[in-house]
Amino acid sequence: MSVPATPIRFVLAPSMGEVKEHVRAELFGRALTQRLGRAVVVEIAPSFEALERELAEERAELVWGTAEQCTAFEPRARAVLRAVRAGRGEYHAALLCRASQPLSLERLQGARAAWVAPRATAGYLLPIRHLSERGVSLAEAFSEERFFGTYRKALLAVLSGEADLTAIYTSHPEESTVRAFLAEHLGADERRLTPFAYTGPTPADGLILTSRLTEDDAAVLVSALTSLTDRTGGLEPLLGLFDSEGFVPSSGRGTRRRRPPPSRQTEYLAVELDAHARCLRVWTPGDEVFGQDLRDAEGRSLEDVLGLEAAGPLVALARAARHGGGSGRVEYRAQVAGRTHWFAAEASVRARGPGAETAPTMLLVRDVTELRAQEEPLYRLASFPLLHPEPMLEVGPDGLLRYANPAAHLAFPDLLSRGARHPLVEAALAWSRQEVPPDGLGVTPGVLHLNQRSWELTVFPLLDPEGLRVFAKDITARKRMEAKLKADRLGALGSLAAAVGHEMGNPLAYMLANLGFAREELQRVGESLRAQDNPLTRDVAEVVEALVEAADGAGRLKTIVQDLRTLSRAPLEHHQTIDVTPVLEHALGILRGDLRPGVRLERDFREVPAVVGDEARLGQVFVNLLLNASQAMSGGAEHVLRVATYTAPTGEAVVEVQDTGRGMPQEVLARLFEPFCTISPSSKGLGLSVSYAIVTGLGGTLSATSREGQGTTLTVVLPAAPAAAHEARPLGSDAI
């Protein structure tokens, strides 16, 4: 087989169990990689529709398809391998209901159905087809039909009373087989459900080898897949990914033929030994095992049968179990046909029979060579959460902590005690409600400031069971570097602005004075001409209007120069301990007359500590933030301007200004606090940069989050003043 640079892309149908199936898929891909000598990359499709697109566009070499997909794509595929379960290459669907509320095909009127997915064979297509063939009108029978995505979720919907029936696959149309499946997914709750109907058989789902593979590569891949349980395989546990015993090629002739089971020749040996390690009875699939002929093995010593190297560890294990009166297990290696193989052996002592001098010892020996080769990647996968250097945790949809790695407990020692009320968990849950990650991809919603450190969170949704996987990355050093770079940049700009402002101050002063003088004189002349009814009156009025516009422009230029001087970070004057709330109330009073029609102002003022700063400068910050939010809301729709204050978990005073305006793109958000950055044509783009300079000058932070079409939130965090200087005052919440 050739070994091309590109790997084989293997796409699976949506998983039945999120974590377990991903791990099994990874191990299965590694096992195939070892057998083929070519990399196999396993992916799980986010939906059956996505899987259908992969097949239709032939973007993958290997696809795990539904029964219908296997049948539909078989004519143009290199090969189709059907899964074998319980010795059969076909399966049925079982219709289930609650045992306490039994149903039948004749008693479905008004029932609520919980299906898996529109493309799921046993979870939807097969039972729907079965009901239609028996004359059941689906539109009349069901009062509600919903898709839940996985078998487990559909089963839980019936258990909870959210639905009345569902369907699952079963290898045999009998209750005991169905209950084995239910026990795997529901545990003891399986007794609460009962099957009430079975569909006819359908050819099994399986593996589709697409035409992206060459014929030679496809032949080698078929050989590898159909021999997973052959001699020295030891990979049966990996077939749990497909809940299958193996695969057989589809003949393409007839869809309801019984398929023979695959050859099961994995090498194992079961032997009963007496006290002298002589073989009393021997069981094995063939006449040979581990390269040794086992014919006439009974009555001979185990060393004579297997050889000293292979038998030595087994004899020692049997002796230890016999002397200890219990059982034991050992793994060892031995040479078989010139190759090193690994064996796993278990020993147990049987009860002594009538007339026997000693109790016999049972040995079960199995070749685990290939399975052992998977242990290293298995341990690597299993140890990832444990050894991941950054905090990682998993929580349920209600914030219940399911798991946190050592790094998480080290970074957040109060994680267990605070649980769902921990700021990290609250932030992840809040962002998960706001963001809808596409196709199960993670989102990086923002930065959490906690314990004087900055944490960048990445949140991944878990589907079954529902929850969130949260990664927290410490970006404190990066944030400090960014702040220093921004401070240096603003400082350089401020120095330049101070120098330019100083040089522009005098020219602006006499420019404004002269413009004012000229305007007043022309107005006096115009009044005299108007009294004389002189035709030049209109011309003089136009000149006066031009002078007014020129003076207005010069005034705006003076304001810009003053704002630029603020960026010079000159020491703020009048530092004192001040209440944040009265300053914010004053800013709201200034803004109230400028609120646009249709904008509702909401206040949520909670207890906040006092801060040290300049009251006038802080008021300027709040006015800038409120004006920015007000200008962002336009149009006929009703908008909300929400202003909130609260105390951060680490004791700082927090002020939030949230609008429901147009929001802004990420590229604008990234440079929002830079001078002259604005998306409003009426804004100079200096208000937020000046506010940033003032807040950071007070030792605080000013940050923003925004989503286009949904609004922006500006957050001011200021360090609390010394506790002795002021006592925080609780405030209520109201709406205006």
Side-chain angles (χ1 to χ4, degrees), residues 30 48 53 57 71 140 145 160 165 178 192 213 226 244 313 373 382 470 489 492 505 604 636 717:
R30 290 176 181 270
F48 285 95
R53 290 194 296 270
E57 299 173 13
T71 300
E140 297 177 2
E145 296 181 82
S160 66
L165 66 97
V178 173
R192 297 171 55 194
L213 291 165
T226 55
S244 168
V470 184
R489 185 168 64 249
D604 183 9
V717 180

Side-chain angles (χ1 to χ4, degrees), residues 430-498:
W431 279 318
S432 72
R433 289 189 288 267
Q434 296 172 7
E435 303 283 347
V436 183
D439 296 337
L441 299 179
V443 294
T444 303
V447 176
L448 176 69
H449 301 283
L450 189 62
N451 300 334
Q452 298 182 341
R453 307 200 70 79
S454 298
W455 301 92
E456 183 180 68
L457 304 188
T458 303
V459 182
F460 290 84
L462 300 178
L463 303 179
D464 191 3
E466 291 186 16
L468 299 173
R469 180 175 295 132
V470 184
F471 292 87
K473 184 177 182 181
D474 190 346
I475 59 170
T476 306
R478 191 181 84 192
K479 283 294 181 183
R480 288 173 179 169
M481 181 61 71
E482 290 175 354
K484 185 178 183 303
L485 291 174
K486 183 175 288 187
D488 291 344
R489 185 168 64 249
L490 291 177
L493 178 60
S495 299
L496 177 62

Side-chain angles (χ1 to χ4, degrees), residues 274 277-282 296-302 304-305:
D274 63 13
R278 289 191 297 264
C279 300
L280 299 178
R281 285 186 290 178
V282 177
D296 302 324
E298 295 181 1
R300 297 162 56 193
S301 70
L302 194 62
D304 184 32
V305 173

Side-chain angles (χ1 to χ4, degrees), residues 566-704:
T566 304
L567 297 179
S568 65
R569 291 181 171 268
L572 298 178
E573 300 177 355
H574 309 300
H575 276 206
Q576 57 184 341
T577 301
I578 57 176
D579 283 332
V580 171
T581 306
V583 179
L584 186 56
E585 291 277 18
H586 181 67
L588 284 170
I590 295 175
L591 174 77
R592 195 180 301 273
D594 293 332
L595 279 180
R596 300 183 179 184
V599 176
R600 187 176 77 255
L601 176 63
E602 292 183 355
R603 300 190 310 166
D604 183 9
F605 291 173
R606 304 182 187 181
E607 183 178 357
V608 289
V611 301
V612 175
D614 185 297
E615 185 171 335
R617 297 284 190 171
L618 193 56
Q620 181 183 357
V621 170
F622 294 152
V623 169
N624 284 341
L625 301 188
L626 292 168
L627 283 174
N628 189 80
S630 177
Q631 292 170 359
M633 296 181 288
S634 60
E638 181 179 348
H639 289 286
V640 176
L641 174 59
R642 180 179 178 272
V643 184
T645 65
Y646 59 90
T647 303
T650 48
E652 297 96 342
V654 182
V655 177
E656 283 186 355
V657 177
Q658 182 179 20
D659 66 69
T660 57
R662 58 183 175 269
M664 61 189 74
Q666 292 301 310
E667 57 269 19
V668 175
L669 187 64
R671 54 186 188 88
L672 182 63
F673 302 117
E674 295 180 3
F676 308 110
C677 174
T678 180
I679 57 175
S680 174
S682 61
S683 172
K684 302 186 297 292
L686 284 172
L688 289 180
S689 57
V690 168
S691 299
Y692 184 89
I694 294 173
V695 172
T696 54
L698 294 173
T701 61
L702 174 58
S703 59

Side-chain angles (χ1 to χ4, degrees), residues 99-386:
S100 60
Q101 296 176 293
L103 294 174
S104 66
L105 294 183
E106 293 74 28
R107 296 173 54 197
L108 293 180
Q109 191 70 29
R112 297 164 300 163
W115 307 121
V116 175
R119 304 297 178 91
T121 301
Y124 179 66
L125 296 176
L126 199 55
I128 288 298
R129 187 184 309 144
H130 179 78
L131 294 174
S132 299
E133 290 173 352
R134 277 149 185 78
V136 177
S137 173
L138 305 180
E140 297 177 2
F142 299 126
S143 63
E144 180 181 86
E145 296 181 82
R146 291 176 57 192
F147 295 102
F148 286 83
T150 69
Y151 282 110
R152 184 173 179 274
K153 286 185 178 180
L155 292 168
L156 291 176
V158 178
L159 279 179
S160 66
E162 191 177 351
D164 301 312
L165 66 97
T166 187
I168 62 171
Y169 75 87
T170 177
S171 57
H172 292 80
E174 60 180 13
E175 185 170 348
S176 59
T177 306
V178 173
R179 297 216 166 275
F181 177 92
L182 291 176
E184 178 183 353
H185 287 271
L186 301 177
D189 282 338
E190 59 91 6
R191 302 184 186 91
R192 297 171 55 194
L193 298 180
T194 186
F196 67 88
Y198 299 94
T199 70
T202 185
D205 42 357
L207 299 169
I208 302 172
L209 284 68
T210 71
S211 59
R212 285 175 61 93
L213 291 165
T214 66
E215 290 188 5
D216 291 342
D217 288 352
V220 175
L221 189 54
V222 167
S223 177
L225 291 167
T226 55
S227 64
L228 281 175
T229 53
D230 283 355
R231 285 183 175 275
T232 70
L235 291 179
E236 289 92 334
L238 297 181
L239 292 171
L241 174 63
F242 312 100
D243 194 23
S244 168
E245 302 161 7
F247 303 101
V248 292
S250 174
S251 65
R253 299 186 303 273
T255 59
R256 299 179 181 251
R257 293 185 56 190
R258 184 183 178 91
R259 307 295 186 194
S263 173
R264 296 183 58 84
Q265 298 180 350
T266 300
E267 295 206 312
Y268 70 90
L269 167 68
V271 59
E272 184 179 277
L273 301 176
D274 63 13
H276 303 288
R278 289 191 297 264
C279 300
L280 299 178
R281 285 186 290 178
V282 177
W283 297 270
T284 186
D287 295 332
E288 291 187 2
V289 68
F290 313 147
Q292 302 295 330
D293 190 344
L294 293 188
R295 288 174 293 188
D296 302 324
E298 295 181 1
R300 297 162 56 193
S301 70
L302 194 62
E303 292 181 349
D304 184 32
V305 173
L306 297 181
L308 182 61
E309 181 185 16
L314 300 177
V315 172
L317 177 64
R319 185 183 302 114
R322 188 167 58 253
H323 291 167
S327 60
R329 187 179 188 277
V330 68
E331 288 192 12
Y332 68 98
R333 59 185 177 183
Q335 294 292 318
V336 176
R339 293 182 56 199
T340 300
H341 284 239
W342 281 93
F343 300 94
E346 298 180 13
S348 60
V349 180
R350 295 184 61 186
R352 185 169 56 184
E357 296 182 1
T358 59
T361 304
M362 295 297 302
L363 279 176
L364 177 64
V365 190
R366 186 179 180 86
D367 188 331
V368 293
T369 303
E370 197 161 354
L371 187 59
R372 187 182 175 91
Q374 301 304 314
E375 286 185 347
E376 182 180 349
L378 174 62
Y379 292 150
R380 186 160 54 249
L381 286 171
S383 64
F384 169 74
L386 183 67

